[in-house]
Every structure is written in structure tokens, then in C-alpha cells.
Amino acid sequence: MSAQILTPDRRIRVFLSSRIQELAAERHALVRLVRKMGLTPIYFEEIPTPHPPQDQYRAYLQQSEIFLGIYGEGYGWVDTSSGMTISGLHDEWNLSEGMPHIVFVKDIAGPRESRLEELLQQIGS
């Protein structure tokens, strides 16, 4: 495979996936790091739009080149009204197949939600 050559005005986009409220400090630190590296962080809360959240994160992910997952203790919300059976966090991971991945798992004192443990096992295999 040949290296991707980008024009000077186009930076590689890094999609950040995590639970926003739970890992806000970690997300902000990684956003600063990604920018410092000359890359463009793509993250859900950056640009509010009138689009449904699922459509928004899927579009952002589709336009990104690198997936950066940050996981803590929670699995995230499952939007059953749209027919989802998994959280947005899990959906983002599934949709990132074929992309380079960087994954951070935060050390926590207590147990993780069981569905997040299952996702982390999927990620590790």
C-alpha cells in the first residue's frame, strides 16, 4: 500500500470516541494533543447541528482517517427509539473497522458496566 499524500491544506482527521460527560477531562487533553501533532480532532460536541446524534457521529466517523477510543466505566446510552440495540460508543467502534485505532482504557476503582466489558473484550480480540 502506498502512503497517503495530502495537500498542505488537508490534515488527517482523528475521530474521538468516548462518553462525553464521564471522560471530559481526558477528551480535552487528547484534543489538545491531536492538535499539537498537526492533526484535526473530530469529536461530537465540537459542532452542534440539527441532525440526529447517530447521523452526526456516523458522518464524522466516515470522514475521519484515525479512530481514537477512550473508555472508562460506562457503556453509554442505547437509543432504542431509533431501533438501536447497542450504544453510540459501541456503534462507533463497529463502524471504525478498517481504520487505524488508538485505544485508551482508563484505570478505574470500581467495576465497569458489563456491556462495556464485553466491548473491551471485542476490542482486545
Side-chain angles (χ1 to χ4, degrees):
M1 177 196 315
S2 62
Q4 184 179 22
I5 300 174
L6 302 175
T7 60
D9 62 330
R10 169 92 173 26
R11 295 180 180 192
I12 293 175
R13 290 178 238 128
V14 180
F15 182 87
L16 277 77
S17 174
S18 74
R19 291 187 62 215
I20 297 169
Q21 298 82 4
E22 177 187 350
L23 298 165
E26 290 84 354
R27 285 173 69 85
H28 292 297
L30 287 169
V31 164
R32 286 191 305 273
L33 177 63
V34 167
R35 284 188 176 131
K36 221 176 202 181
M37 294 171 61
L39 308 174
T40 301
I42 305 296
Y43 51 108
F44 187 76
E45 68 270 31
E46 182 182 42
I47 307 167
T49 71
H51 306 290
Q54 187 180 33
D55 292 346
Q56 187 175 342
Y57 72 71
R58 285 179 170 183
Y60 285 2
L61 184 57
Q62 186 176 32
Q63 297 172 53
S64 299
E65 288 86 19
I66 297 172
F67 179 90
L68 196 160
I70 315 163
Y71 305 100
E73 65 182 89
Y75 178 71
W77 176 63
V78 179
D79 182 9
T80 55
S81 68
S82 69
M84 293 292 290
T85 58
I86 58 176
S87 69
L89 193 72
H90 197 151
D91 193 33
E92 290 168 352
W93 171 260
N94 289 345
L95 294 170
S96 72
E97 186 176 344
M99 297 173 74
H101 293 94
I102 301 169
V103 174
F104 294 96
V105 180
K106 183 176 181 175
D107 229 1
I108 60 168
R112 293 183 207 286
E113 289 183 15
S114 61
R115 293 198 70 187
L116 180 61
E117 282 292 349
E118 293 169 14
L119 174 59
L120 293 175
Q121 288 176 5
Q122 177 185 342
I123 290 170
S125 55

